[in-house]
Amino acid sequence: MFTPRHGIARTLSLLCSITCSLYLVTSPLQFAHATETSSTSTSSKAVLLTVSGSDTNLTLGGSRHFKAKLGSSEPSGVQWSVNGIAGGDAENGLITAEGAYTAPALMPATNPITVLASVTVNGTAMTASKKFSLQLPKPQIGSAKPHAFKPGPYSLTITGKNFYPDTKLLINGVAVEATFVSETKMTTQGTAEKLGVLELMLVNPGDIHSASYKKVAVTADGKPIPEPTPIPNPTPTPAPAPDPKKIAAARFLEQASFGPTSSDMAAVMSSGPQAWITAQMALPASPISTSNDMSVLRTAWFNNMASGQDQLRQRMIFALSQLFVVSADKNNNANEMSPWLQTLSRHAFGNFDNLLREMTLNPAMGKYLDLGNSVTPAPNENYAREVMQLFTIGTVELNMDGSPKLDSSGAPVPTYDQARIGDMSRALSGWTYAGKSTKGLNWENFTGPLQARDKYHDKNAKTLPGGVPLAAGQTTQQDYDAVMHTLFQHPNLPPFIATRLIRHFVSSNPSPAYIERVATVFANGTSANNGQRGDLAATLNAVLMDPEARQDSPSASQGHLKDPILHSLGLIRVMGGKVVNAKNLFWDYYLLGQRLANSPSVFNFYSPLTHIPGDAQHFGPEVQIYAPSLAVQRANFIYNLLQGNYKTMVQIDIQPYLDVAYDPNALINLVDANLLQGRMSKDARSAIFEGVVAISDKRERAFTALYLSAISAEFAVHQ
């Protein structure tokens, strides 16, 4: 017997074989490891016992494995306990000598659960623990009877599993009184006032929602709503002719925003991309949270991305945040991150010189890369290295088209060496945080920029990249100004920034001519800005309006794989979805390798220098976090979004697709028109059609068409 799940699996296999070859540069089934390592300094620590294993919620009856480590090795003779009971027990859960924990079937009296590892090494007893909460399993609705009734009083019986005395029943999103009968049965009574389909949902304690159930209706005659008669033996029909203007608008908005919406599509189709850019750059910036709670700041930033009117600024902030990286992995509190985010927002359309100067003295960056309280005689080299390597000029000298300059032996010419890093760190020494002391050093403070302290500045002569000399005896401010000027005027800066911005917004593999055109605007400005070097608004405009960006019949090597945030937000926005409360969504993004504001290193979530596996000629930065396991994880994430399993976090309405699901061709045409604006290939259409026609349930049909389209290369890759 064919089931919807089998249909999806079979069609996924066919669809993947068709669509994974669509994009040469960032094939979604390939993966590359980063070769860079962060240079952030670490201090040595004593060898401690640690316990690895997830600390997230675990469902009753579930299992989880824990490991004890002493430094980097696994000690022998580890004793495990659960809530203070050696080996655990039936009430709290059992754990084996190997650290395999099995949760109890019933909720224990003590929750959260604490798993403790104990070991004795050289006569010293050591312990380490993990704490997590047990939660009830997800309730499931199997059926609800009667299937239909007239307006007025009604009695409804719901059957399924995982029901509890405290399970709540929601009808059309409103909690109603319900009677718990057993683990598999509940009843409710009420009065129906309007005609229509009732949406039932059960919620177990812990905010564990069931899937939405929409098979009960209030009808005028009390009879079930008849299902449309399926088309017998349906066959694929030719796709409607795509609208080139609609395709052009959608491609532009995929580059310039977090995904097309109906209103933005209408604006671009009416006035054109240039008018949209001009209007966007005139909008005020979305506010940045001032909370000290990191989850509040992260959620507010995500909301700006999802629904902020200033979409172009938000995309630029997102791009710059992956260039000038600061991470909450080190700056743990929101007040340690918000100055960085405010600087990115303030200078998104400003001048790079001002951005670089403010970011260098930003207290958030001062902590993350250790420029704060970097003093003579041994200043920290972290910021000195990364401001060159990752923020401005790169490691090798560049031509204006982004290609490396070569020496007489054909090797790339380095832009700096270790001696220049040392001189840069000395030139940038003597900065401390704002605070009570006006002459000495202050402890970390994020209320204002770093302040100069000549007493702690290295006043010896230095040489900056490009052979720029700094005379001895200069003040902290004078050396800082010289460093900023040298980096801003360096010939590498225009092609370096041009390449980074093009790769983020448009294509992982731009042509040298494209890079040179954008780099020239960065270097020389335009007539509109009186030839101002470093104008980010003019540079971004050049990136987006370049003929190579606006080429709506892209080559096989154009475009880039969407990262998890661009992929999921693009889907939410194009389907008219709404982000309700994303706070708990960031765990899923963490599993996908992109927890907002928590870049794992100064090299970003993925390195801009990552190549396609097995292809040294093409770059594919986002592929670095798209290993096969992460590809499956992302598909599961999209599955949960569309199924409504994240309904308390994100709401997406698939009713328009249910309305046409009786006709496979009409369904696929609607999915193609809304998600891909008519760009679905013939092969992908055929593969999705095969999966859809094998399913009789209308909701599963609609879901399958949406799901397969959303995880296909044609949607996951921007071309």
Side-chain angles (χ1 to χ4, degrees):
M1 177 180 293
F2 183 87
T3 67
R5 184 179 300 276
H6 293 151
I8 291 176
R10 184 174 69 182
T11 308
L12 266 175
S13 176
L14 177 59
L15 183 64
C16 188
S17 67
I18 293 169
T19 59
C20 287
S21 62
L22 286 176
Y23 185 51
L24 170 64
V25 182
T26 50
S27 166
L29 292 185
Q30 296 177 313
F31 173 68
H33 291 281
T35 56
E36 296 100 331
T37 57
S38 172
S39 63
T40 304
S41 64
T42 57
S43 58
S44 61
K45 298 180 179 179
V47 177
L48 300 175
L49 182 68
T50 59
V51 173
S52 63
S54 177
D55 55 5
T56 58
N57 293 343
L58 179 65
T59 302
L60 289 178
S63 61
R64 180 167 291 165
H65 194 265
F66 298 92
K67 283 187 177 181
K69 286 192 174 182
L70 191 63
S72 60
S73 63
E74 296 184 19
S76 59
V78 177
Q79 302 294 317
W80 295 93
S81 64
V82 180
N83 285 348
I85 302 170
D89 60 9
E91 179 183 354
N92 295 279
L94 300 170
I95 191 165
T96 68
E98 292 75 31
Y101 171 78
T102 302
L106 300 176
M107 191 64 71
T110 302
N111 191 31
I113 297 292
T114 300
V115 168
L116 181 74
S118 303
V119 66
T120 299
V121 179
N122 297 328
T124 301
M126 296 184 177
T127 61
S129 64
K130 277 284 184 179
K131 182 178 288 188
F132 57 94
S133 295
L134 296 178
Q135 65 180 22
L136 296 177
K138 183 177 182 179
Q140 297 182 27
I141 301 176
S143 67
K145 294 182 179 180
H147 298 310
F149 41 81
K150 296 179 181 180
Y154 68 86
S155 295
L156 195 62
T157 299
I158 303 165
T159 57
K161 64 179 182 178
N162 299 331
F163 300 173
Y164 292 85
D166 294 330
T167 299
K168 296 179 181 178
L169 171 63
L170 306 182
I171 298 182
N172 292 341
V174 178
V176 300
E177 290 189 12
T179 300
F180 171 79
V181 179
S182 69
E183 184 186 352
T184 60
K185 184 177 180 180
M186 295 183 72
T187 61
T188 186
Q189 296 179 342
T191 301
E193 298 178 350
K194 297 179 180 179
L195 301 179
V197 176
L198 301 183
E199 179 187 22
L200 308 183
M201 183 173 287
L202 296 176
V203 184
N204 276 343
D207 201 32
I208 312 299
H209 287 62
S210 72
S212 175
Y213 184 90
K214 296 182 179 179
K215 296 183 179 181
V216 176
V218 181
T219 59
D221 57 5
K223 296 181 180 180
I225 300 174
E227 290 280 340
T229 303
I231 299 174
N233 299 318
T235 57
T237 59
D243 180 352
K245 196 171 183 179
K246 186 177 182 182
I247 289 175
R251 285 193 69 252
F252 169 75
L253 288 169
E254 285 182 338
Q255 295 168 349
S257 73
F258 282 93
T261 62
S262 56
S263 59
D264 281 334
M265 285 284 290
V268 173
M269 292 175 69
S270 172
S271 303
Q274 185 61 71
W276 188 88
I277 291 174
T278 301
Q280 280 282 306
M281 288 185 175
L283 290 174
S286 293
I288 294 172
S289 170
T290 57
S291 169
N292 285 335
D293 186 333
M294 193 59 222
S295 67
V296 173
L297 176 65
R298 186 182 290 110
T299 300
W301 184 13
F302 187 80
N303 288 344
N304 287 346
M305 294 178 179
S307 56
Q309 293 301 303
D310 57 333
Q311 279 290 294
L312 185 58
R313 181 184 295 273
Q314 294 305 317
R315 268 303 293 271
M316 188 62 158
I317 293 171
F318 190 47
L320 294 174
S321 74
Q322 297 179 63
L323 176 69
F324 291 96
V325 173
V326 171
S327 175
D329 280 2
K330 182 174 181 179
N331 296 27
N332 304 127
N333 301 310
N335 68 306
E336 301 173 8
M337 292 291 290
S338 56
W340 164 74
L341 198 55
Q342 289 163 356
T343 292
L344 296 180
S345 177
R346 184 161 45 247
H347 296 289
F349 300 145
N351 192 280
F352 188 87
D353 188 24
N354 297 330
L355 171 61
L356 177 62
R357 286 173 174 270
E358 185 171 315
M359 187 59 74
T360 300
L361 300 184
N362 190 292
M365 182 65 78
K367 174 176 180 176
Y368 185 62
L369 287 181
D370 307 302
L371 190 64
N373 292 336
S374 172
V375 298
T376 189
N380 191 289
E381 294 183 349
N382 280 342
Y383 187 76
R385 178 186 298 105
E386 309 309 359
V387 72
M388 295 188 291
Q389 178 183 2
L390 299 175
F391 302 168
T392 57
I393 61 177
T395 57
V396 299
E397 293 187 9
L398 302 174
N399 297 303
M400 280 293 279
D401 65 2
S403 60
K405 293 182 178 180
L406 306 178
D407 61 20
S408 58
S409 63
V413 180
T415 49
Y416 59 86
D417 55 17
Q418 181 57 41
R420 297 290 73 74
I421 295 173
D423 280 5
M424 283 282 287
S425 69
R426 294 192 296 114
L428 291 173
S429 64
W431 293 94
T432 191
Y433 297 92
K436 293 182 179 180
S437 176
T438 59
K439 295 183 179 180
L441 302 179
N442 292 308
W443 179 240
E444 293 171 1
N445 184 315
F446 302 91
T447 60
L450 301 181
Q451 299 177 354
R453 297 289 187 267
D454 287 345
K455 177 182 178 181
Y456 299 95
H457 176 63
D458 187 309
K459 298 181 179 63
N460 295 311
K462 303 109 180 166
T463 302
L464 302 184
V468 177
L470 293 186
Q474 294 200 134
T475 66
T476 310
Q477 184 69 44
Q478 287 173 326
D479 274 0
Y480 159 81
D481 287 336
V483 169
M484 295 299 101
H485 179 79
T486 298
L487 293 176
F488 184 61
Q489 294 297 331
H490 196 286
N492 264 28
L493 184 62
F496 182 90
I497 297 300
T499 303
R500 293 297 188 269
L501 291 181
I502 293 170
R503 282 187 178 150
H504 177 86
F505 286 95
V506 178
S507 180
S508 297
N509 294 278
S511 69
Y514 184 7
I515 294 173
E516 185 165 3
R517 289 191 293 269
V518 175
T520 299
V521 171
F522 183 97
N524 303 326
T526 64
S527 58
N529 67 8
N530 298 316
Q532 184 184 70
R533 181 182 178 90
D535 186 328
L536 289 173
T539 304
L540 178 56
N541 193 83
V543 169
L544 295 173
M545 294 305 296
D546 191 88
E548 198 165 316
R550 300 279 53 81
Q551 180 180 332
D552 292 323
S553 296
S555 67
S557 62
Q558 274 186 265
H560 64 94
L561 176 69
K562 298 174 184 175
D563 63 29
I565 288 178
L566 287 177
H567 189 174
S568 56
L569 278 181
L571 179 63
I572 293 167
R573 286 172 59 83
V574 81
M575 293 188 65
K578 179 183 178 182
V579 175
V580 181
N581 184 352
K583 178 180 179 181
N584 294 325
L585 203 61
F586 295 112
W587 172 251
D588 294 85
Y589 281 117
Y590 167 75
L591 297 177
L592 296 174
Q594 197 179 26
R595 188 184 187 197
L596 191 63
N598 282 79
S599 174
S601 81
V602 74
F603 295 100
N604 182 28
F605 299 106
Y606 41 85
S607 167
L609 302 180
T610 299
H611 283 88
I612 293 296
D615 183 356
Q617 302 303 312
H618 291 98
F619 291 94
E622 297 87 352
V623 182
Q624 191 176 336
I625 55 170
Y626 207 70
S629 60
L630 289 174
V632 173
Q633 188 79 24
R634 196 189 300 189
N636 290 341
F637 182 68
I638 297 298
Y639 177 96
N640 287 322
L641 276 178
L642 292 171
Q643 277 283 27
N645 294 338
Y646 296 145
K647 193 170 184 179
T648 59
M649 296 175 272
V650 177
Q651 294 177 353
I652 296 178
D653 183 14
I654 69 169
Q655 189 60 47
Y657 306 92
L658 291 175
D659 293 340
V660 298
Y662 64 90
D663 182 343
N665 286 299
L667 172 61
I668 294 174
N669 287 344
L670 183 62
V671 172
D672 180 20
N674 290 350
L675 270 63
L676 295 164
Q677 298 78 42
R679 291 173 285 174
M680 186 181 290
S681 68
K682 181 179 178 181
D683 288 340
R685 176 179 290 270
S686 176
I688 295 172
F689 184 89
E690 179 183 333
V692 166
V693 296
I695 300 171
S696 58
D697 181 84
K698 191 170 65 171
R699 190 180 190 284
E700 287 296 331
R701 224 181 224 195
F703 168 77
T704 299
L706 287 166
Y707 173 65
L708 294 180
S709 298
I711 66 171
S712 71
E714 294 182 349
F715 187 83
V717 173
H718 168 69
Q719 279 197 291

